[in-house]
Amino acid sequence: MFLAVSPLRAAPNSGTISGVVLDPNGTAQMGATVLISSEQLFNTSQIELLTNDRGRFSTSSIPAGLYTVKVTLAGFLPAMEQNIKVSNQRTTLLQVMLGSVFSSFGKLRQQPNQKVAKDDWTWVLRTSAATRSVMQYQDAQVMVVGQTSETAPAQSSGDRGRVILVSGGDHPGSVGALADSPGTAFVYDLGLGNNAQLLMAGQFSSKRGASAASFAGEWLPSGKVGVGPVTTLVLRQSQLGPSGLMFRGLRMAHDEQLAVSDRVTLRYGSELLVASLMNQTSTAVRPRGEVDVNLGRGWQSSTIVATRPWGSGDSGTPTGMDSALNALDGYPTVLLRHGRPVTEDDVHEEFGVQHFVGHNGRFSAAVFHDSSNHTAVIGRGGAADSPDFLQDYFSQAFAYDGGDSSSTGVRATYIEKLSDNTDVGLIYASGDALVPIGGGSSEKTLRAQLATESRQSVATRTSTKVPYLGTTVTASYKWISGPAVSRLDAYGESFYGIDPYLSLQIKQPVPVLFSGRIAVEADAGNLLAQGYVPVSTNRGQVVLVSAYRYFRGGLSVQF
C-alpha cells in the first residue's frame, strides 16, 4: 500500500483519502468495499465506499487524524492498513493490492532463477498481498505518512541489516553505556507481516581481557518510528576489569500513541529498569506522557512529563534500524550510593509552544522543571578507589552520585531549513546545574562540595549534505556561562542532538560494487577539552566535566 500526501483546498483541520484497488496483476478492481474508520478514542463512526470502474475511491472532507482502511472484495483476501494519517488540507493517496490464496501459493512455486523483489525476505503465506511502493511523488508540499520530520529520509525497502565496526564510546564514564573500546554492532529487520518491523540489534566490545555486550529488540507494529505503539527490550552486561565485578542491566519499555481528537494527540508509556552490581539489585519504574494540541494558524502546544525524550527527537526522525541501534545505548547512567547500584533519575516536566514561521522555519519556547534524587557527575582522578565512585574500566572515567538537584528554567529555539541539504538551529536555555562551591577541601566528600547554581547557555547546530560527494557534516557548539559539572537542560540537549561545547559528526558514503551501502563515520565530542573543573576531596584530587572529551569512529555496512 503506497501512501503520500498532496495539497488540498478544504475546510481547516480536515483532509481526504483517495486511492485505487488492484489485483496482484495490477488490474483495477471495480465494486470493492472500502471501510474507513477513525482511530480517535471516542469516534466509532465508519465511512463505506465502493470503487468505480477504474478501481478508484475517494472520501469527502474528513477531520484530520489517524484512520484504519479495510478493503474487501469477493474472491480476494481482505487487506487492512492502520495508522493512515490525514493531514490538514491535504489528500492522502493509497494504492491497495488485494491478494488471494492462489497468489500466495504462487510465491511458493517461484522458480529459483526468478528475481525476488527487494522487500521480500523470504516466501511466506500471507493473508493479503505484500504492499510495495510503485511510484514516488516528491514535492515541497508532500510528506510520506508516518514521518514526523520532512527532513528524515525514508529507509530503503531493500535494506534488511547493518553491521558496524566501531572504536570508542560517545558517553564515557557509565558502565551502562556502550564501551569505549573496539567493538562490533549489528541490527537486522525480521520484517514480520506486511509493514511491521521486528528489529534485533546487538553489540560486543572487548579490551585487555574485559568484555561488554548488549542486546536490543524493538517491535514496531506500524513499521514506522513515531507512529503507533513500540515495545523495546534492552539487556546489558559489562565486566569491570578482567577479574572485576560484573554489571547486568535490563530495560523494558512500551510506548503508545493515540489521537484523542482531530486536534489532540496523546503519547504515553513507561519503562522498567533493573540494575545488578556487587550482589545488589535495584529496580525502578518510570512512566511518561505527552499531550500535543494543534492550536491552529501554525501554533502547537506540548505538555511533557518524562525522564528522557521519546525515540525520535528534533535532530531527525530515525529509521527503524537507527532506532534499534540507539536503544543499545539507551540505558541511563549507573551510579553507586551507599554501596548499592542506582540509576540517574531526572524527571523532566515541560510546557511549550511551537509556531511555524514561513515554509521552512520553526520557533518554539518552553518552561521546564527538572528534579533528581541521583544526579550523575562524571570525572576522572584518584578518587576512583572509593566505593562511591563507580569506575568505568574501558574509559578510565568514573560516575559519581551528586545527590539531589532541582532546576526550573526556560528554553527558546529557532530552527530553519535553509535548503534541501542544509538546516541550522539556535537554542537558548536558562536553568540550574551542579557546580563546585568554595575552593574545595581535602576533608570534605565530593557531594558536600556541590551545590545548585543558575547558569545560561547558547547553542547552535548545523547539518549539511555535500552534493555529489554525499558527505554529511553535523557540527554543534554549546556555550555555558560558568563552570558546571552536571548537564544544563539535559532533555533539550538530547532532543536537539547537541552536547556541551564543540562537537562534530562526519558521515561519508563509500562507492561499492555490490548491492548495499558502506559509510565511514566519525563522531567527536568536546574537541577543545573545555569545562574541566578540578576539585580536592577527602579521596584526593579529581577533575569533573559536564561533557567528556571523546572520539568514536568506524565503518557501517548496510545491506
Side-chain angles (χ1 to χ4, degrees):
M1 182 179 293
F2 174 75
L3 303 90
V5 178
S6 61
L8 169 73
R9 294 188 179 276
N13 301 314
S14 66
T16 65
I17 298 178
S18 297
V20 61
V21 178
L22 307 173
D23 69 5
N25 297 320
T27 304
Q29 298 299 304
M30 180 179 67
T33 301
V34 181
L35 292 176
I36 301 174
S37 57
S38 174
E39 296 181 4
Q40 296 175 14
L41 182 62
F42 302 110
N43 191 339
T44 59
S45 61
Q46 283 189 337
I47 300 174
E48 183 174 334
L49 303 171
L50 293 176
T51 57
N52 61 17
D53 57 348
R54 289 186 289 181
R56 300 185 180 277
F57 64 91
S58 181
T59 69
S60 57
S61 181
I62 57 178
L66 297 178
Y67 289 83
T68 295
V69 178
K70 182 178 181 180
V71 180
T72 58
L73 182 63
F76 294 91
L77 296 171
M80 184 172 67
E81 185 73 9
Q82 295 176 310
N83 300 314
I84 302 301
K85 185 176 182 180
V86 174
S87 301
N88 183 23
Q89 298 186 11
R90 299 177 186 274
T91 296
T92 301
L93 306 177
L94 308 180
Q95 178 171 290
V96 184
M97 295 188 70
L98 294 175
S100 65
V101 174
F102 300 103
S103 64
S104 299
F105 277 113
K107 287 189 177 289
L108 304 182
R109 298 164 51 195
Q110 190 176 44
Q111 297 300 319
N113 59 351
Q114 286 182 287
K115 293 183 178 180
V116 180
K118 290 184 178 180
D119 59 346
D120 282 337
W121 173 40
T122 183
W123 58 264
V124 294
L125 182 62
R126 303 179 187 271
T127 57
S128 61
T131 55
R132 305 185 183 93
S133 301
V134 295
M135 64 176 179
Q136 291 184 348
Y137 177 59
Q138 296 180 343
D139 186 84
Q141 299 295 326
V142 175
M143 67 178 181
V144 177
V145 169
Q147 288 187 342
T148 58
S149 171
E150 295 183 28
T151 62
Q155 181 175 321
S156 170
S157 60
D159 296 332
R160 286 294 184 186
R162 188 185 303 173
V163 176
I164 301 173
L165 307 177
V166 66
S167 178
D170 55 1
H171 293 89
S174 174
V175 298
L178 292 181
D180 184 21
S181 62
T184 302
F186 73 89
V187 60
Y188 193 79
D189 178 10
L190 299 181
L192 301 181
N194 292 336
N195 297 302
Q197 287 184 299
L198 177 59
L199 298 117
M200 300 294 181
Q203 186 265 353
F204 178 81
S205 301
S206 181
K207 187 176 183 179
R208 297 196 299 271
S211 62
S214 60
F215 169 83
E218 193 166 69
W219 169 241
L220 298 167
S222 67
K224 307 176 185 72
V225 178
V227 177
V230 55
T231 303
T232 305
L233 170 67
V234 180
L235 301 173
R236 291 203 54 80
Q237 177 174 292
S238 299
Q239 188 176 6
L240 281 64
S243 57
L245 300 172
M246 186 71 72
F247 162 76
R248 293 183 175 91
L250 176 145
R251 174 177 169 260
M252 296 181 62
H254 182 77
D255 297 324
E256 291 275 0
Q257 179 171 306
L258 178 67
V260 180
S261 69
D262 60 335
R263 288 179 175 267
V264 181
T265 302
L266 171 66
R267 289 204 293 183
Y268 60 94
S270 63
E271 62 180 3
L272 168 68
L273 295 170
V274 180
S276 175
L277 183 67
M278 302 174 60
N279 297 321
Q280 298 281 343
T281 301
S282 65
T283 304
V285 177
R286 300 176 181 175
R288 55 183 177 270
E290 178 178 345
V291 179
D292 295 326
V293 180
N294 182 4
L295 303 176
R297 298 184 180 274
W299 288 91
Q300 180 175 332
S301 70
S302 300
T303 303
I304 302 169
V305 177
T307 56
R308 59 179 178 81
W310 302 89
S312 57
D314 203 76
S315 56
T317 302
T319 64
M321 288 188 185
D322 292 330
S323 178
L325 288 170
N326 292 341
L328 289 174
D329 206 17
Y331 203 89
T333 304
V334 182
L335 310 166
L336 282 178
R337 189 70 179 265
H338 305 305
R340 183 181 180 86
V342 295
T343 53
E344 188 177 20
D345 63 347
D346 178 60
V347 177
H348 180 83
E349 301 166 314
E350 176 177 313
F351 175 78
V353 293
Q354 179 175 257
H355 180 58
F356 293 91
V357 182
H359 294 289
N360 300 314
R362 284 177 295 157
F363 171 78
S364 62
V367 56
F368 61 84
H369 177 75
D370 290 309
S371 60
S372 174
N373 296 320
H374 304 286
T375 306
V377 175
I378 305 299
R380 188 169 183 171
D385 60 348
S386 169
D388 286 338
F389 293 76
L390 183 53
Q391 177 74 51
D392 177 20
Y393 173 79
F394 293 96
S395 66
Q396 300 302 313
F398 64 75
Y400 181 81
D401 186 355
D404 298 343
S405 67
S406 179
S407 171
T408 299
V410 295
R411 182 194 318 117
T413 305
Y414 182 75
I415 296 176
E416 183 167 357
K417 186 177 180 182
L418 302 179
S419 67
D420 291 340
N421 296 322
T422 304
D423 60 78
V424 64
L426 183 66
I427 302 102
Y428 167 82
S430 176
D432 301 316
L434 286 181
V435 303
I437 55 177
S441 173
S442 60
E443 299 180 357
K444 294 183 178 180
T445 64
L446 177 57
R447 192 175 298 112
Q449 300 186 59
L450 300 177
T452 301
E453 288 189 8
S454 176
R455 290 290 184 267
Q456 299 183 70
S457 69
V458 178
T460 181
R461 181 183 187 274
T462 182
S463 179
T464 185
K465 184 175 182 180
V466 181
Y468 305 110
L469 295 178
T471 308
T472 301
V473 180
T474 302
S476 66
Y477 185 85
K478 180 175 180 177
W479 169 83
I480 303 176
S481 61
V485 298
S486 67
R487 292 297 181 97
L488 171 62
D489 186 22
Y491 188 95
E493 288 180 353
S494 180
F495 186 83
Y496 291 102
I498 57 174
D499 286 319
Y501 311 112
L502 180 62
S503 300
L504 182 66
Q505 298 174 343
I506 300 176
K507 184 174 182 179
Q508 175 62 59
V510 178
V512 294
L513 300 178
F514 60 91
S515 177
R517 287 179 288 172
I518 297 180
V520 178
E521 302 179 9
D523 185 3
N526 198 4
L527 286 171
L528 302 180
Q530 295 177 277
Y532 285 37
V533 181
V535 179
S536 296
T537 74
N538 60 348
R539 290 287 180 172
Q541 183 85 5
V542 297
V543 177
L544 305 180
V545 292
S546 59
Y548 212 87
R549 189 179 187 183
Y550 69 87
F551 175 80
R552 188 169 185 257
L555 185 70
S556 173
V557 181
Q558 191 160 325
F559 55 90

